[in-house]
Amino acid sequence: MKNYKYTFINIKACTLVALLLMMNACTKDFESFNTDTNSISDEQLKVDFNNIGAFFPSIQNAFTTNNMIPMDIGEFLTGGAFAGYFMFPNPGANNTNYSMLEGWAGYGMFGVGYNAIMSPVNEIKRRGAEASAPDFWAVALILKVYGMHKVTDIYGPVPYTKFGQGGTTVPYDSQQEIYNTFFSELDVASKALQDYIVKFPGAKPFSKFDNIYAGDYSQWLRFANSLRLRLAMQIVKVAPDIAKAQAEKAVDPLNGGVFTANEHNAFVKGGSNALYIASQIWGDIRGNAALISCMNGYSDPRLSKYYDPSTIVPGEYVGIRTGSNIQARGDMLKFSNVAAASFVQATPTELMTAAEVYFLRAEGALRGWNMGGTSVKELYEEGISTSLTQWGVGGDAPGYINNDIRKPANYTDPLLPAQNAPAVSDLSVKWDEAATNEQKLERIIIQKWISDFPDGTCAWSTFRRTGYPRLFPVAVNNSGGEISTAIQIRRMNYPGSEYVTNAAEVAKGVTLLGGPDNGGTRLWWDIAGPNF
C-alpha cells in the first residue's frame, strides 16, 4: 500500500492550490497572495476552517471525474455490469466474461478509496477536526463510510481501522469489524450533527466546501441515517438482530429522519459526470440486456430516461447480455447507449435517493421491523412513485403501479441467437398481498433495482444478498471454473499491487475472507439460502 502515500502528495498539492484560490477570492490583499504563496500560515488557514474544509471538495470529487479515476467508473465496469445495468462493448477478455484481468480489478475502486477518501479524511483527523470542528468531522465520517462501504462490498476484508497509523504496510480488517466500525462512526457523526443543529440552528459553516447539500446539516443527518439503513439491510442474513436494531435506529424520527422526498437525495454537483464520460466520450459503456428487457416488459416510463433506442434494431431498446461473445466493437456500439439527454457532462452524480430508502423500509416492514408505521404495500408504492417523479415521469405512477398484466420480457439477441434468453421472472408490478414473503421481497427488489440505476455496486450487493432481481447468467464464462455461471460473480480479486506492497497483510485478508482470492468466494454478509 505504499502507492497510497505517493498519491496523497498530489492530493495535498491540489488542496494547496484550492486554498490559494479560495483565499485570493475573499481577500483584498490579492497581489500579496499572488506573488508569495509561502505567506499562508497555519493560523491563516484556520480562518473559516480552511485548514480542514479545503479537503472536502476533493473527497466528494472521488465520485466524479474531477478525480483522475473516479470511483464511479470502476463501478460501471464492475458492479454495473454484474448488476445488469451496463455492458462493455469491446471484444476480448474482461470482467464481464469473468476473465478478471488485473487492469480491470484495480481500476477506480480500491485505489480511489484509499487515495481520494481515506487519505484526506485521515489528514482532516490529523489536523484536529474531531475537537476543533466536530460538525466538519461528522461530514468526513459520513463520506468515509459511504465510499468505503462500496470498497469492502466489492472486495471483502480490506484495510480500514488501522489505516493512517504509520508503517509501510496496513493490516486488513474482517468485513464484520468494518461494518461494526461503520455503525460506530455513523453514531459519532449523527450525534455531532444533532448537537450542532440544536446549538446553532440554521448555521452553515460548511457551505463553501459542500458540493452535495450546500452546508445543510439537517440534510447530512438524513444522509447518515439513510446510509445506516442501507448498511443494516446488507447484513440482515448474517447478523439479523444487529440489522434490525440499526435499521430501526435509522428511521427513528428522533434521530433526524431518513430521506422521504427527492429534495433529500444525495447528489454530488460540479465536475464531469463519470457515466457521461464512459458512455458518450469513451464509448466503453452500453446498456445491459437484463435491465432493458425487464423495463421493456413492464413498459417502464423511465426506460427512455436511462437509455437511448438502439440502431441495431432501429427505434427499439436493445441491451447486450452480460459476458456476450462479442466479435466486433462496431456492431456492439449499435446497441442502446446510456441516455444522452439524461447524462450530460454537468449531470450531478448520484450517491443515494429517497426511492431506495422507501424500498429498504418496505423490506424492513416485510420482516416485521418498525419502519415508520406504514404498510409494506404503501412503502413499496411510495418507492415507485418517488423514483418516477425523480426521473420526470411521476404522472405515469398510478398506471404503472397498478399494472398486473405486463411482466419482464424475453431477451432476443439480434446478432447471436444462441445468446437469446427467456425472462427470468414472471412478476408484475402490482402488489399482491396474497404472495409469499419471497415473492413479495422479489417484487420489492425488482423495483429497487430499477430505481437504483445507475448505482451498480449498490444493486450488485443487493443481488448477492437476496438473489434478486433474477439476472440472465453470463453468456461466456472465462473463469476456468472459479466462478459459477448459475450463482454468478460474488466479489472482485484484490489488486495485484497489494501482493507487492502489502503482501503479508493481504495474505491475512484472504484468510479473513474465508476462501480463495477469486470472484467465486462469498463475502461475510453473502449467505446462501432463503431470505426468511
Side-chain angles (χ1 to χ4, degrees), residues 136-170:
F136 278 57
W137 181 238
V139 175
L141 287 175
I142 295 166
L143 288 169
K144 175 187 174 188
V145 171
Y146 179 84
M148 293 307 295
H149 95 276
K150 293 201 167 189
V151 175
T152 187
D153 285 351
I154 287 173
Y155 298 98
V158 293
Y160 193 71
T161 63
K162 297 177 180 62
F163 181 87
Q165 294 184 3
T168 57
T169 63
V170 185

Short mmCIF file of all heavy atoms in Angstrom, two decimals, residues 136-170:
data_model
loop_
_atom_site.label_atom_id
_atom_site.label_comp_id
_atom_site.label_asym_id
_atom_site.label_seq_id
_atom_site.Cartn_x
_atom_site.Cartn_y
_atom_site.Cartn_z
N PHE A 136 -17.67 19.36 11.10
CA PHE A 136 -16.92 19.01 9.89
C PHE A 136 -16.48 17.55 9.95
O PHE A 136 -16.54 16.84 8.95
CB PHE A 136 -15.69 19.92 9.77
CG PHE A 136 -15.96 21.26 9.16
CD1 PHE A 136 -16.89 22.12 9.72
CD2 PHE A 136 -15.28 21.68 8.04
CE1 PHE A 136 -17.14 23.37 9.18
CE2 PHE A 136 -15.51 22.93 7.47
CZ PHE A 136 -16.45 23.78 8.05
N TRP A 137 -16.04 17.13 11.13
CA TRP A 137 -15.61 15.75 11.27
C TRP A 137 -16.77 14.79 11.02
O TRP A 137 -16.59 13.72 10.44
CB TRP A 137 -15.02 15.52 12.66
CG TRP A 137 -14.54 14.14 12.91
CD1 TRP A 137 -14.94 13.28 13.88
CD2 TRP A 137 -13.52 13.42 12.16
NE1 TRP A 137 -14.27 12.07 13.78
CE2 TRP A 137 -13.39 12.15 12.73
CE3 TRP A 137 -12.74 13.74 11.06
CZ2 TRP A 137 -12.50 11.19 12.26
CZ3 TRP A 137 -11.85 12.80 10.56
CH2 TRP A 137 -11.73 11.53 11.15
N ALA A 138 -17.97 15.17 11.41
CA ALA A 138 -19.15 14.35 11.16
C ALA A 138 -19.34 14.11 9.66
O ALA A 138 -19.59 12.98 9.22
CB ALA A 138 -20.39 15.01 11.75
N VAL A 139 -19.22 15.17 8.87
CA VAL A 139 -19.38 15.04 7.43
C VAL A 139 -18.26 14.16 6.86
O VAL A 139 -18.50 13.32 5.97
CB VAL A 139 -19.40 16.41 6.75
CG1 VAL A 139 -19.43 16.26 5.23
CG2 VAL A 139 -20.60 17.22 7.22
N ALA A 140 -17.04 14.32 7.36
CA ALA A 140 -15.93 13.49 6.90
C ALA A 140 -16.21 12.01 7.15
O ALA A 140 -15.94 11.15 6.29
CB ALA A 140 -14.63 13.91 7.59
N LEU A 141 -16.76 11.70 8.31
CA LEU A 141 -17.07 10.31 8.63
C LEU A 141 -18.16 9.75 7.72
O LEU A 141 -18.09 8.59 7.29
CB LEU A 141 -17.50 10.20 10.10
CG LEU A 141 -16.41 10.35 11.15
CD1 LEU A 141 -17.01 10.33 12.55
CD2 LEU A 141 -15.35 9.25 11.01
N ILE A 142 -19.18 10.55 7.43
CA ILE A 142 -20.25 10.08 6.55
C ILE A 142 -19.70 9.78 5.15
O ILE A 142 -20.01 8.73 4.56
CB ILE A 142 -21.38 11.13 6.47
CG1 ILE A 142 -22.05 11.29 7.84
CG2 ILE A 142 -22.42 10.73 5.42
CD1 ILE A 142 -22.94 12.52 7.95
N LEU A 143 -18.88 10.68 4.63
CA LEU A 143 -18.29 10.45 3.32
C LEU A 143 -17.36 9.24 3.33
O LEU A 143 -17.32 8.45 2.37
CB LEU A 143 -17.52 11.69 2.88
CG LEU A 143 -18.38 12.90 2.49
CD1 LEU A 143 -17.52 14.15 2.34
CD2 LEU A 143 -19.16 12.64 1.20
N LYS A 144 -16.63 9.09 4.42
CA LYS A 144 -15.72 7.95 4.55
C LYS A 144 -16.50 6.64 4.54
O LYS A 144 -16.16 5.69 3.82
CB LYS A 144 -14.92 8.09 5.84
CG LYS A 144 -14.00 6.93 6.18
CD LYS A 144 -13.41 7.14 7.57
CE LYS A 144 -12.59 5.95 8.02
NZ LYS A 144 -12.17 6.08 9.44
N VAL A 145 -17.54 6.56 5.35
CA VAL A 145 -18.34 5.34 5.41
C VAL A 145 -19.00 5.07 4.07
O VAL A 145 -19.02 3.92 3.59
CB VAL A 145 -19.40 5.44 6.53
CG1 VAL A 145 -20.37 4.26 6.47
CG2 VAL A 145 -18.72 5.49 7.90
N TYR A 146 -19.53 6.12 3.44
CA TYR A 146 -20.18 5.92 2.14
C TYR A 146 -19.19 5.33 1.12
O TYR A 146 -19.48 4.33 0.46
CB TYR A 146 -20.77 7.22 1.59
CG TYR A 146 -21.41 7.00 0.25
CD1 TYR A 146 -22.72 6.54 0.14
CD2 TYR A 146 -20.68 7.16 -0.93
CE1 TYR A 146 -23.29 6.27 -1.09
CE2 TYR A 146 -21.24 6.89 -2.17
CZ TYR A 146 -22.55 6.45 -2.24
OH TYR A 146 -23.10 6.16 -3.47
N GLY A 147 -18.04 5.95 0.99
CA GLY A 147 -17.08 5.49 -0.01
C GLY A 147 -16.53 4.11 0.29
O GLY A 147 -16.45 3.25 -0.59
N MET A 148 -16.18 3.89 1.55
CA MET A 148 -15.50 2.64 1.88
C MET A 148 -16.46 1.45 2.03
O MET A 148 -16.03 0.30 1.92
CB MET A 148 -14.68 2.83 3.15
CG MET A 148 -13.50 3.78 2.95
SD MET A 148 -12.42 3.35 1.54
CE MET A 148 -11.77 1.79 2.11
N HIS A 149 -17.77 1.71 2.23
CA HIS A 149 -18.67 0.55 2.24
C HIS A 149 -18.74 -0.07 0.85
O HIS A 149 -18.93 -1.28 0.70
CB HIS A 149 -20.06 0.93 2.77
CG HIS A 149 -21.08 1.27 1.74
ND1 HIS A 149 -21.20 2.53 1.18
CD2 HIS A 149 -22.07 0.54 1.16
CE1 HIS A 149 -22.20 2.54 0.32
NE2 HIS A 149 -22.75 1.35 0.28
N LYS A 150 -18.53 0.75 -0.17
CA LYS A 150 -18.51 0.19 -1.53
C LYS A 150 -17.24 -0.61 -1.77
O LYS A 150 -17.26 -1.65 -2.43
CB LYS A 150 -18.66 1.32 -2.55
CG LYS A 150 -20.02 1.98 -2.49
CD LYS A 150 -20.36 2.70 -3.77
CE LYS A 150 -21.84 3.06 -3.78
NZ LYS A 150 -22.28 3.57 -5.08
N VAL A 151 -16.12 -0.13 -1.23
CA VAL A 151 -14.87 -0.86 -1.40
C VAL A 151 -14.94 -2.22 -0.72
O VAL A 151 -14.62 -3.25 -1.32
CB VAL A 151 -13.69 -0.03 -0.86
CG1 VAL A 151 -12.39 -0.84 -0.93
CG2 VAL A 151 -13.52 1.26 -1.67
N THR A 152 -15.39 -2.26 0.53
CA THR A 152 -15.45 -3.55 1.22
C THR A 152 -16.51 -4.46 0.61
O THR A 152 -16.34 -5.69 0.59
CB THR A 152 -15.69 -3.37 2.73
OG1 THR A 152 -15.58 -4.65 3.37
CG2 THR A 152 -17.06 -2.80 3.04
N ASP A 153 -17.58 -3.89 0.06
CA ASP A 153 -18.62 -4.73 -0.54
C ASP A 153 -18.21 -5.26 -1.91
O ASP A 153 -18.88 -6.14 -2.46
CB ASP A 153 -19.93 -3.96 -0.64
CG ASP A 153 -20.63 -3.83 0.70
OD1 ASP A 153 -20.17 -4.48 1.66
OD2 ASP A 153 -21.61 -3.08 0.79
N ILE A 154 -17.13 -4.75 -2.45
CA ILE A 154 -16.59 -5.28 -3.70
C ILE A 154 -15.52 -6.34 -3.43
O ILE A 154 -15.47 -7.38 -4.08
CB ILE A 154 -16.02 -4.15 -4.57
CG1 ILE A 154 -17.16 -3.33 -5.17
CG2 ILE A 154 -15.12 -4.68 -5.67
CD1 ILE A 154 -16.71 -2.10 -5.90
N TYR A 155 -14.66 -6.09 -2.41
CA TYR A 155 -13.51 -6.97 -2.18
C TYR A 155 -13.65 -7.87 -0.96
O TYR A 155 -13.10 -8.97 -0.92
CB TYR A 155 -12.24 -6.14 -2.02
CG TYR A 155 -11.89 -5.33 -3.25
CD1 TYR A 155 -12.24 -3.98 -3.35
CD2 TYR A 155 -11.24 -5.91 -4.33
CE1 TYR A 155 -11.94 -3.24 -4.47
CE2 TYR A 155 -10.93 -5.19 -5.46
CZ TYR A 155 -11.29 -3.85 -5.53
OH TYR A 155 -11.00 -3.12 -6.65
N GLY A 156 -14.35 -7.41 0.08
CA GLY A 156 -14.41 -8.15 1.34
C GLY A 156 -13.55 -7.50 2.39
O GLY A 156 -13.58 -6.27 2.56
N PRO A 157 -12.73 -8.26 3.14
CA PRO A 157 -11.82 -7.66 4.10
C PRO A 157 -10.85 -6.70 3.41
O PRO A 157 -10.28 -7.03 2.37
CB PRO A 157 -11.07 -8.87 4.68
CG PRO A 157 -11.99 -10.03 4.47
CD PRO A 157 -12.69 -9.74 3.17
N VAL A 158 -10.68 -5.53 3.99
CA VAL A 158 -9.76 -4.52 3.46
C VAL A 158 -9.16 -3.75 4.63
O VAL A 158 -9.66 -3.82 5.75
CB VAL A 158 -10.46 -3.53 2.50
CG1 VAL A 158 -10.91 -4.21 1.22
CG2 VAL A 158 -11.62 -2.83 3.19
N PRO A 159 -8.08 -2.99 4.41
CA PRO A 159 -7.56 -2.13 5.47
C PRO A 159 -8.57 -1.03 5.82
O PRO A 159 -9.12 -0.39 4.93
CB PRO A 159 -6.30 -1.53 4.84
CG PRO A 159 -5.92 -2.47 3.75
CD PRO A 159 -7.22 -2.99 3.22
N TYR A 160 -8.83 -0.84 7.10
CA TYR A 160 -9.77 0.22 7.49
C TYR A 160 -9.42 0.83 8.85
O TYR A 160 -9.01 1.97 8.93
CB TYR A 160 -11.20 -0.31 7.51
CG TYR A 160 -12.23 0.81 7.60
CD1 TYR A 160 -12.44 1.65 6.51
CD2 TYR A 160 -12.95 1.04 8.76
CE1 TYR A 160 -13.36 2.69 6.58
CE2 TYR A 160 -13.87 2.08 8.84
CZ TYR A 160 -14.07 2.90 7.75
OH TYR A 160 -14.97 3.93 7.82
N THR A 161 -9.56 0.07 9.92
CA THR A 161 -9.45 0.68 11.25
C THR A 161 -8.03 1.13 11.57
O THR A 161 -7.84 2.02 12.40
CB THR A 161 -9.93 -0.29 12.34
OG1 THR A 161 -9.09 -1.45 12.36
CG2 THR A 161 -11.37 -0.72 12.10
N LYS A 162 -7.03 0.54 10.95
CA LYS A 162 -5.64 0.89 11.27
C LYS A 162 -4.98 1.70 10.16
O LYS A 162 -3.77 1.93 10.20
CB LYS A 162 -4.84 -0.39 11.56
CG LYS A 162 -5.36 -1.14 12.78
CD LYS A 162 -4.61 -2.44 13.00
CE LYS A 162 -5.14 -3.16 14.23
NZ LYS A 162 -6.57 -3.54 14.08
N PHE A 163 -5.77 2.13 9.19
CA PHE A 163 -5.21 2.96 8.13
C PHE A 163 -4.76 4.30 8.71
O PHE A 163 -5.45 4.91 9.51
CB PHE A 163 -6.27 3.21 7.05
CG PHE A 163 -5.77 4.03 5.89
CD1 PHE A 163 -5.15 3.42 4.81
CD2 PHE A 163 -5.90 5.42 5.87
CE1 PHE A 163 -4.69 4.16 3.74
CE2 PHE A 163 -5.44 6.16 4.81
CZ PHE A 163 -4.83 5.54 3.74
N GLY A 164 -3.56 4.74 8.29
CA GLY A 164 -3.05 6.04 8.73
C GLY A 164 -2.30 6.00 10.04
O GLY A 164 -1.94 7.05 10.58
N GLN A 165 -2.02 4.81 10.56
CA GLN A 165 -1.32 4.71 11.83
C GLN A 165 0.19 4.56 11.66
O GLN A 165 0.91 4.30 12.63
CB GLN A 165 -1.88 3.54 12.66
CG GLN A 165 -3.31 3.76 13.09
CD GLN A 165 -3.85 2.65 13.99
OE1 GLN A 165 -3.12 1.72 14.35
NE2 GLN A 165 -5.11 2.75 14.36
N GLY A 166 0.67 4.72 10.45
CA GLY A 166 2.10 4.65 10.21
C GLY A 166 2.56 3.28 9.74
O GLY A 166 1.81 2.31 9.76
N GLY A 167 3.81 3.22 9.32
CA GLY A 167 4.37 1.97 8.81
C GLY A 167 4.20 1.85 7.32
O GLY A 167 3.49 2.63 6.67
N THR A 168 4.85 0.87 6.76
CA THR A 168 4.83 0.68 5.31
C THR A 168 3.75 -0.30 4.87
O THR A 168 3.53 -0.47 3.68
CB THR A 168 6.20 0.17 4.82
OG1 THR A 168 6.51 -1.05 5.50
CG2 THR A 168 7.28 1.20 5.10
N THR A 169 3.11 -0.97 5.82
CA THR A 169 2.02 -1.88 5.49
C THR A 169 0.82 -1.53 6.36
O THR A 169 0.95 -0.88 7.40
CB THR A 169 2.41 -3.34 5.73
OG1 THR A 169 2.69 -3.55 7.11
CG2 THR A 169 3.63 -3.72 4.90
N VAL A 170 -0.35 -1.96 5.94
CA VAL A 170 -1.57 -1.67 6.67
C VAL A 170 -2.35 -2.97 6.85
O VAL A 170 -2.67 -3.64 5.87
CB VAL A 170 -2.44 -0.64 5.94
CG1 VAL A 170 -3.65 -0.28 6.80
CG2 VAL A 170 -1.64 0.62 5.62
#
